[in-house]
Amino acid sequence: MGVILAAAEAGSIDMTLLLMGLFGGLAVFLLGMDHLTESLKAVAGDKMRLILGKLTTNRFMGIVTGAGITAVIQSSSVTTVLVVGFISSGLMSLSQAIGVIMGANIGTTITAQIIAFKVTKYALALVAVGFGVWFFSRKEPRRHWGGLLMGLGLVFFGMALMGDAMSPLRSSEAFVDWMASMTNPLIAIGAAALFTALVQSSSATTGIVIVLAGQGLISLELGIALIFGSNIGTSVTAILASIGKPREAARASVVHVLFNVLGVAVFVAFIDQLADVVRSISPSFPGLAGAERLAAETPRQIANSHTIFNVINTLLFVGFASQLARFAERLVPDRPLEEEERVRARYLDDALLSTPVLALDRATMEMADLAKRVRDMLVAVLPAVVEGTEAELASVEKMDDGIDALHAEILTYLGKVSQTRLSASETDELMRLMEATNNLEAIGDILETNLVALGRSRLASKVVVSEMTKGVIGEFHAATVRALDLALDAVQNGNVESAVMANSMKDEINALAEAAAAHQARRLVAEEPNRVTTYKLETDVAEHLKRVYYFTKRTARAVLPILERSST
């Protein structure tokens, strides 16, 4: 920038126009990238869930998956967040997840490949067609395709604006000499890394590098060094995103940084050789000379070098995934968790809000954790109520604290998701999750407020529940737990069959409730101590378990199609 200012002072460049064109074009470029990414995510929709379903312990499948997801969402940081969730849930280890992180770097190279196309003169045509499709279409999928075209057009239009702004630099001897003198790649790497870290966007750096190349202002070797720097700079985003997050997030970020920095360290000595390979496989224009030839050839060569570097880098380090994971674990060791930390949400991350389909997946994972807590509490409550001590009742009561904490975090997160642009299916899913979360919290309240109180009443009245009564209530309790399992399977996995089964258990629950009532009626006339107190305890337990089933059935019914719901 100092050289540009010097050139401006010499009168060769209108600095105001240059900066307006450069930063205005960059703003249009980033706006286009945002539209393009949002439309891609909307078009891909549930396909991203299918891609995530391909995650296995196979590192190479992880690489393909990471590349595919990142190519759609254009954010390796978001991919890293997804990986952290899988690690936290125990679905994969850090060493298994490293393949996905490596694949994310390959996915980011799609940006360079897109903007290296020399179609800037058609940019406004793409904007016009895309806007027309988006504005006049009433069907959501078609509007998304229109937004995709419009975003792509804005990307190329932003490139054209930046290129026009920088074209005067071609006649500035000061700038050309400065670029020619930048023979030390470490300076270029450092400058690009700093710029990328500041603007928090490797796409911005890539766009400017391609524009400089398109004006014939930089050589391929310098372009490669700048791209290396953007790879390091984008790692800063991952580090910042991990601050205040679980240890798994910090370790995944450390792996991301190690992978990028080590890759650049290995390749920096072979920039010339990489440039030779890229020139041999990229389109050439021998009929041109000097800056004109650089402008024609270098953009595509830089894009290809970006892809080749990340692919080779991944192949080099994928065999050392276990070593990278162990090193990251040493750098970020485990620490004892306080009680309040153990009930914090593990999967919710604001970085995923830009991709609602993935944010909803994470909310589902968090709800599964909430559901496990509710189920554990439901299983533990009956023994505590009918024969437990005060300490056991207090332990069950305390379990509701974690349920309340997670319930609040999930609802807050779903509230944030609701403020994003959601498709009709995503809105339905959001409503199902909100209803299921509220129902689970209601069940926890019944267990804490009502059933634990009955247990304490038993202790105060010194009531002894008979083995026969324990068997009758136990059967009712087991059916309630089974219904809850079916309802949760319905919500978490979209299993309509489980929803129907949970809903159809109404007759079984009613029959068990009647059987319990008949048994309690017989007990009321029996010659036993505390008959009335015992009768009230037993009937109240059955009544509250029936209420638990009511909220369980509501959860299951939320998954059923509207027509099915109306007939049940």
Side-chain angles (χ1 to χ4, degrees), residues 129-334:
V129 172
F131 177 80
V133 173
W134 174 82
F135 186 79
F136 292 108
S137 296
R138 292 293 173 261
K139 294 184 177 179
E140 201 69 23
R142 196 173 296 169
R143 284 173 60 86
H144 293 321
W145 281 108
L148 191 152
L149 280 177
M150 184 168 61
L152 192 60
L154 287 172
V155 165
F156 290 128
F157 184 53
M159 296 284 293
L161 291 175
M162 287 191 287
D164 290 343
M166 289 186 174
S167 60
L169 294 175
R170 298 172 69 172
S171 59
S172 169
E173 292 185 11
F175 185 83
V176 172
D177 291 344
W178 178 59
M179 283 294 182
S181 68
M182 196 180 289
T183 56
N184 187 342
L186 296 180
I187 296 175
I189 291 171
L194 179 62
F195 180 79
T196 304
L198 288 174
V199 300
Q200 293 285 288
S201 172
S202 59
S203 296
T205 306
T206 303
I208 291 176
V209 171
I210 297 289
V211 166
L212 287 169
Q215 293 298 319
L217 294 170
I218 61 172
S219 64
L220 173 58
E221 289 78 5
L222 178 55
I224 291 173
L226 292 170
I227 290 295
F228 283 180
S230 74
N231 265 40
I232 293 175
T234 196
S235 304
V236 175
T237 305
I239 291 291
L240 293 175
S242 70
I243 296 174
K245 297 296 193 314
R247 309 301 273 176
E248 293 92 342
R251 288 171 186 159
S253 298
V254 165
V255 167
H256 195 183
V257 172
L258 286 173
F259 174 59
N260 285 359
V261 171
L262 290 175
V264 171
V266 168
F267 266 86
V268 70
F270 301 98
I271 287 179
D272 291 339
Q273 289 79 0
L274 176 60
D276 290 338
V277 170
V278 169
R279 286 192 183 98
S280 67
I281 64 171
S282 302
S284 62
F285 299 89
L288 302 176
E292 295 294 334
R293 183 168 184 178
L294 280 176
E297 296 179 349
T298 312
R300 176 57 56 196
Q301 290 170 351
I302 290 175
N304 289 341
S305 65
H306 194 195
T307 301
I308 291 171
F309 160 68
N310 280 292
V311 169
I312 295 177
N313 198 30
T314 296
L315 295 176
L316 282 176
F317 285 99
V318 70
F320 298 96
S322 299
Q323 290 84 345
L324 284 172
R326 284 197 296 270
F327 186 57
E329 286 164 359
R330 287 179 184 175
L331 289 176
V332 188
D334 286 320

